[in-house]
Amino acid sequence: MTIENENNTNFIKEIIKKDLNSGANDGRVATRFPPEPNGFLHIGHAKSICLNFGLAEEFKGLCNLRFDDTNPTREETKYVEAIKEDVRWLGFDWEDRLYFASDYFDQLYEFALHLVNSGKAYVDDLSADEIREYRGTLTEPGQDSPYRERTVDENLDLFERMRAGEFADGSHVLRAKIDMAHPNMVMRDPTIYRIRRAHHHRTGDKWCIYPMYDFTHCLSDAIEGITHSVCTLEFENNRALYDWFIENVNTKHTPHQYEFARLELTHTLMSKRKLLKLVEDGIVVGWDDPRLPTIAGIRRRGYPPEAMRTLAERVGVAKKRDTMVEYGFLEHAVRENLNLTANRVMAVLDPLKLVIENYPEDKSETFEIVNNPEDESAGSRQVPFSREVYIERGDFMEEPPRKFFRLSPGREVRLRGAYLVTCESVVKDPDTGEVVELRCKYDPESRGGDAPDGRKVKGTLHWVSASHAVEAEVRLYDHLFLRENMNDIPEGSEFTDFLNPDSLTVVKNSKLEPSVANASAGDRFQFLRHGYFCVDSEDSEPNKLVFNRTVSLRDSWGKGRK
RNA sequence: UGGGGCGUCGUCAAGUGGUAAGACACCAGCCUUUGGAGCUGGCAUUCCCAGGUUCGAAUCCUGGCGCCCCAGCCA
């Protein structure tokens, strides 16, 4: 795997280098990946994971895995397990640094008390609707709540009673006392605690008040001694509040927030809401559908984690918004990895029988074929050959156009690793005229694929001996959406309007060489001349193999012809 | 008519006053027992626009233009 080492910098790395040089944070670098356990991770999260763990790795620091679980109504333990699996799969290790914001609820409560005591937070009795009205608009300042000037003692009493469960959900909130006329809406006395009687996946029913993200995140960072808190661009406005809390609460560490552009890919979507709809409406088979950009999906699709890390490194980290990385960029990283690591195998997806008339009926022999021309250590395997083989229907044309190098009447081609064969005649279905069989002649002198007289052929075809073939189901995947930019669809249209009707093609009776018979879930192969495939982890069984196409091979012949 | 950000090749993206990296894509050629892979070459006289400063500007200044984010008791 090649990872570019030259010029692989970005603005966050530059900030860290500067901090290291100036001796900030005692020379420590600490980052964290902070998902909310309320759904499945996708490729966008993978970029963040690679960035945070990668930064720690590069600068000899540490990266924590922290679940941001401050909203009990949305979070579930099953998601924390799924997320842990995804991070591990990507190749990162948080060691003993697995944290939960909910672990800090007691500490956070103390911090809130500190704000109340210093006159910087107050309990507000306004309803959610009233608070919104008092907040003002983007261009008009807000108004102070009538409860804003309560005394410290009164606020203390009220806040403690909020915690004690004396008030109904929604009746009170604790707010930071900042500035209702602040030009940054985030700073107009933001809510820091709300009353919510909901069962928390970890703290159970211990609490009926829960801290808000803005209050929790920066202080959790401070508690953990995070130095560089990296998040996505939509939190830029929240940075002022992040800093306000750090300044107004006594914390030992003073973390800083930096924002980068999230990863978006063409022909797909990262929106949790839309992905959920695809799952719920049965448009895809589940969160791990190989067409989905979820980590579970790409894992099942067969994308190697190394390729995802390479992608994250190559797309870089910047602040430019609305960037769309071409899907082909990802596919390139996947092919690059698989080319080096996947063993080659022959698979005929659309079989056409080829009978070698001058090959003895009862004869069969095996050929030793190299497993991976890119990797000598991958060795070789024995592939059986006999009088009747299957070739790809698309590898034969009765009336070949110019530049068609494959088989046609009278033409000689190579059966990869076996013999040179010449098409003598074509057998057709008398009713439909469909070609059902090719009658050929082979050159016994060309064993292995080369003729002793040195004559060359233009085409080399993959093949599978008919009597030895293993049947399998092969699932061919394509873009989920026809439209490139799914973040910007025409007014009046629904995102589902752009679904690709051919995002999945199931090939039921493909013929594979027998060496794959014992393949197990997740095994990856290159089906010669087709692409990279893996054994499906859900539906494949020992006697009923199912393969997923991870990505096709580049095809300069097929390109532009379909 | 508020505040915060961003505008460099079709797509990502370096560049931080010294004369436009790299990758993907694309094009051409070589090579090839995968029309795969690989190899070679090509691909921004110009950095949203207009002025200005300077010997010299993508980088500094001024003024425009365009796009994105923010009015959850979500994160």
Side-chain angles (χ1 to χ4, degrees):
Chain A
M1 173 101 331
T2 28
I3 301 272
E4 292 78 49
N5 282 316
E6 69 268 34
N7 295 316
N8 67 344
T9 190
N10 60 53
F11 77 98
I12 294 176
K13 290 185 186 183
E14 293 308 310
I15 287 168
I16 293 178
K17 285 179 201 164
K18 229 167 267 170
D19 287 344
L20 252 18
N21 287 333
S22 70
N25 306 307
D26 306 319
R28 278 184 320 112
V29 172
T31 58
R32 99 270 90 113
F33 173 61
E36 180 185 17
N38 70 341
F40 286 80
L41 259 30
H42 53 60
I43 297 178
H45 295 110
K47 175 179 177 181
S48 177
I49 293 167
C50 293
L51 211 210
N52 278 296
F53 279 92
L55 249 20
E57 218 164 78
E58 181 169 349
F59 295 102
K60 312 262 184 293
L62 296 170
C63 179
N64 300 346
L65 173 60
R66 179 171 77 233
F67 288 92
D68 224 329
D69 55 350
T70 58
N71 185 351
T73 61
R74 317 204 314 172
E75 298 145 6
E76 292 179 47
T77 301
K78 71 169 183 188
Y79 293 126
V80 345
E81 293 311 315
I83 290 170
K84 281 157 77 176
E85 184 185 358
D86 289 347
V87 175
R88 248 184 251 117
W89 178 76
L90 276 169
F92 297 106
D93 186 2
W94 55 88
E95 299 174 318
D96 59 347
R97 299 179 311 285
L98 170 65
Y99 301 119
F100 292 82
S102 55
D103 290 342
Y104 310 138
F105 282 173
D106 285 299
Q107 170 87 260
L108 258 9
Y109 182 77
E110 294 302 317
F111 285 150
L113 244 23
H114 174 82
L115 287 178
V116 173
N117 273 120
S118 50
K120 287 176 177 150
Y122 62 98
V123 173
D124 198 342
D125 300 359
L126 252 28
S127 70
D129 285 345
E130 290 168 325
I131 286 179
R132 188 181 345 104
E133 283 162 24
Y134 275 75
R135 187 153 30 227
T137 68
L138 294 177
T139 52
E140 302 156 23
Q143 301 169 47
D144 288 359
S145 162
Y147 304 99
R148 197 173 196 262
E149 299 307 329
R150 292 218 247 231
T151 64
V152 168
D153 285 344
E154 194 181 353
N155 283 136
L156 236 29
D157 175 60
L158 257 13
F159 185 45
E160 277 164 8
R161 288 163 61 193
M162 275 172 65
R163 179 190 185 172
E166 288 188 31
F167 305 120
D169 285 16
S171 61
H172 300 265
V173 289
L174 182 71
R175 292 229 257 169
K177 194 171 180 178
I178 305 179
D179 178 3
M180 286 307 292
H182 199 107
N184 180 352
M185 300 293 291
V186 170
M187 299 297 273
R188 318 247 259 228
D189 288 11
T191 300
I192 60 189
Y193 266 92
R194 75 282 215 186
I195 303 171
R196 185 95 101 215
R197 284 177 178 76
H199 189 83
H200 188 280
H201 73 115
R202 300 193 86 235
T203 61
D205 299 314
K206 180 181 176 189
W207 297 84
C208 67
I209 57 171
Y210 290 94
M212 299 287 290
Y213 163 84
D214 284 304
F215 178 70
T216 306
H217 202 94
C218 54
L219 295 172
S220 300
D221 283 344
I223 291 168
E224 292 176 18
I226 300 302
T227 55
H228 302 264
S229 184
V230 180
C231 63
T232 45
L233 249 25
E234 66 270 26
F235 290 102
E236 274 176 321
N237 297 321
N238 302 55
R239 189 175 60 238
L241 184 52
Y242 185 106
D243 293 339
W244 190 89
F245 283 126
I246 294 297
E247 265 171 43
N248 289 281
V249 173
N250 286 326
T251 57
K252 182 177 166 205
H253 298 290
T254 53
H256 289 282
Q257 173 184 303
Y258 302 95
E259 312 85 16
F260 70 96
R262 54 185 346 143
L263 172 64
E264 297 286 352
L265 289 172
T266 60
H267 303 287
T268 190
L269 280 168
M270 302 290 180
S271 154
K272 198 170 283 181
R273 197 197 99 235
K274 292 174 181 169
L275 257 19
L276 176 67
K277 183 174 168 57
L278 296 177
V279 173
E280 284 185 337
D281 290 0
I283 292 168
V284 296
V285 301
W287 284 102
D288 65 347
D289 189 292
R291 290 166 291 182
L292 254 23
T294 52
I295 307 274
I298 62 177
R299 177 166 57 226
R300 184 170 170 189
R301 174 85 171 250
Y303 289 0
E306 295 81 4
M308 302 314 297
R309 282 189 258 128
T310 301
L311 175 77
E313 183 66 36
R314 287 186 187 155
V315 296
V317 178
K319 288 178 85 86
K320 191 164 65 181
R321 287 193 191 244
D322 304 309
T323 54
M324 272 280 163
V325 171
E326 288 174 351
Y327 204 86
F329 203 65
L330 186 173
E331 292 187 320
H332 172 78
V334 171
R335 288 193 189 99
E336 181 182 53
N337 175 275
L338 262 14
N339 178 44
L340 266 25
T341 58
N343 282 172
R344 274 59 169 172
V345 115
M346 293 194 285
V348 176
L349 303 189
D350 185 10
L352 172 61
K353 188 170 278 188
L354 182 155
V355 180
I356 302 163
E357 295 181 310
N358 59 337
Y359 194 91
E361 301 244 7
D362 53 352
K363 186 180 173 184
S364 128
E365 62 187 306
T366 64
F367 291 98
E368 180 173 353
I369 299 183
V370 63
N371 286 327
N372 185 348
E374 305 292 329
D375 178 10
E376 209 173 311
S377 71
S380 58
R381 66 192 185 286
Q382 297 293 327
V383 183
F385 181 85
S386 60
R387 188 171 194 264
E388 298 191 352
V389 301
Y390 291 111
I391 64 164
E392 213 65 60
R393 184 166 288 275
D395 282 341
F396 172 80
M397 275 189 116
E398 206 169 5
E399 288 166 30
R402 265 174 56 79
K403 301 244 183 123
F404 181 83
F405 301 156
R406 286 109 94 147
L407 199 58
S408 58
R411 187 121 96 200
E412 182 174 52
V413 297
R414 172 165 41 235
L415 292 181
R416 157 101 201 194
Y419 292 107
L420 259 25
V421 297
T422 304
C423 179
E424 299 283 290
S425 61
V426 180
V427 180
K428 293 181 185 178
D429 181 305
D431 298 326
T432 64
E434 184 197 16
V435 176
V436 295
E437 190 176 293
L438 265 21
R439 310 294 292 189
C440 297
K441 188 181 69 188
Y442 84 116
D443 175 1
E445 297 298 300
S446 66
R447 191 169 202 285
D450 274 319
D453 63 7
R455 70 180 188 280
K456 301 285 185 200
V457 291
K458 290 281 260 182
T460 297
L461 312 186
H462 59 276
W463 50 272
V464 172
S465 167
S467 57
H468 303 269
V470 170
E471 291 206 344
E473 174 176 325
V474 177
R475 298 172 181 171
L476 308 176
Y477 298 104
D478 200 348
H479 292 314
L480 230 200
F481 293 98
L482 263 4
R483 188 181 176 83
E484 265 199 21
N485 186 345
M486 288 303 296
N487 285 346
D488 181 25
I489 59 177
E491 205 152 329
S493 62
E494 258 304 306
F495 78 96
T496 46
D497 295 345
F498 302 97
L499 279 163
N500 176 5
D502 300 317
S503 62
L504 169 61
T505 303
V506 178
V507 178
K508 284 292 186 187
N509 300 307
S510 59
K511 311 285 186 182
L512 316 198
E513 64 168 70
S515 69
V516 300
N518 297 317
S520 49
D523 285 356
R524 300 186 177 97
F525 300 93
Q526 182 195 100
F527 286 2
L528 227 62
R529 301 207 298 139
H530 280 300
Y532 297 97
F533 295 73
C534 73
V535 179
D536 187 70
S537 54
E538 293 300 313
D539 304 332
S540 194
E541 289 168 37
N543 291 313
K544 192 183 160 295
L545 291 170
V546 177
F547 286 87
N548 293 322
R549 182 171 68 192
T550 304
V551 62
S552 65
L553 243 29
R554 292 183 66 216
D555 178 8
S556 54
W557 162 252
K559 191 171 54 180
R561 280 171 192 277
K562 291 177 186 171

